[in-house]
Amino acid sequence: MIKALFFDIDGTLVSINTHRIPHSTVVALTQAKAKGLKIFIATGRPFAIINNLKTIEHLIDGYVTANGAHCFIGKEVVYSHPIPKEYVNLLLEDSLKCDYSCIVVGEKDIATYNYKDNIDRIFRVQLNVTNIDYRLPVEYVLTQDILQLTPFITEEQEKEIMPRLSGCISGRWHPEFTDITSIMADKGKGIMAMAQHIGIDLKECAAFGDGGNDLSMIRCAGMGVAMGNANQKLKAAADYVTTDIDEDGISQALRFLKITD
């Protein structure tokens, strides 16, 4: 019996096309909550730039953010693993050497490094993230624990740099960038920590996603659901493939799981 639901945001809960949560999804989650299920967010976004969940905020029990690097329920931190400083420095040095931009996610703040317009084009225009302060000095953020680094690199560049970042893992959900976290942090580890914290088995969890960074939680949850708009690797790993986000994919999946009518 499913007791907790874990949802990616972009492309899963929120449409990339409309920047909104489909009405059918809001209705389905409201019904699931009324039946006593716990609802969690499991996203690559750090909490500071989660700006698109207003219609369901009252339903959310907790957050797995920054690809599992920082997980919390209310004010209680359940699981948190920053990137070791040596790997932060190595990646930022490579960013200058190879001339690519990078987003630096601190425990409290977010800054950009070697800024280029692709950050604004993707995050503000494509993803509707309007609250990254491009003027904030990265030196200020680097005094904090760094939860995630988002370099704007190709898959080929990613393959070259990751062997040098042996204490890190990469979760790509966009062709133009990847999210790098501590090897101790991914969405799968995040939902494991959440499940243990609230006292349920992973078999009682369902995870929903569409991108490469969702693979770990799709594999470890008792029920892994891939959106119709998900990549083929995620679909192959899922227990169930629902319809596209813009074709009532979440609503369809919850009916399939007999959670909603």
Side-chain angles (χ1 to χ4, degrees), residues 87-234:
Y87 298 117
V88 174
N89 295 336
L90 191 157
L91 184 67
L92 295 185
E93 288 172 4
D94 192 70
S95 171
L96 280 183
K97 178 182 176 181
C98 298
D99 198 26
Y100 56 80
S101 55
C102 185
I103 294 176
V104 181
V105 177
E107 190 175 19
K108 297 178 181 178
D109 300 288
I110 301 171
T112 60
Y113 189 73
N114 196 25
Y115 175 83
K116 296 184 184 302
D117 288 342
N118 54 2
I119 294 179
D120 188 65
R121 173 174 55 81
I122 296 171
F123 273 73
R124 183 181 62 82
V125 178
Q126 292 184 14
L127 300 175
N128 200 36
V129 175
T130 57
N131 58 343
I132 296 178
D133 185 357
Y134 302 140
R135 300 165 299 175
L136 186 66
V138 72
E139 291 78 14
Y140 175 76
V141 178
L142 289 174
T143 63
Q144 307 168 20
D145 282 338
I146 302 304
L147 300 174
Q148 183 168 276
L149 296 165
T150 300
F152 285 70
I153 55 177
T154 64
E155 290 188 43
E156 290 72 23
Q157 288 174 302
E158 179 187 345
K159 291 176 182 177
E160 290 178 5
I161 189 67
M162 288 311 298
R164 299 167 59 197
L165 303 172
S166 57
C168 301
I169 54 174
S170 177
R172 180 177 291 271
W173 57 277
H174 192 282
E176 294 191 50
F177 66 78
T178 190
D179 288 333
I180 293 175
T181 55
S182 161
I183 200 168
M184 296 299 297
D186 61 34
K187 290 188 183 184
K189 291 181 177 65
I191 73 170
M192 287 180 195
M194 284 293 197
Q196 183 177 18
H197 183 78
I198 64 176
I200 65 172
D201 194 276
L202 281 171
K203 294 179 181 178
E204 299 172 306
C205 299
F208 303 73
D210 72 298
N213 62 341
D214 298 317
L215 192 58
S216 60
M217 71 171 182
I218 291 294
R219 285 174 169 165
C220 80
M223 173 59 67
V225 178
M227 303 301 291
N229 47 282
N231 63 51
Q232 291 304 313
K233 188 173 183 179
L234 194 73

Side-chain angles (χ1 to χ4, degrees), residues 13-37:
L13 281 180
V14 177
S15 169
I16 299 295
N17 297 319
T18 67
H19 304 307
R20 296 179 181 178
I21 301 174
H23 177 68
S24 63
T25 299
V26 177
V27 172
L29 294 187
T30 301
Q31 292 178 3
K33 186 74 172 183
K35 291 186 176 182
L37 277 78

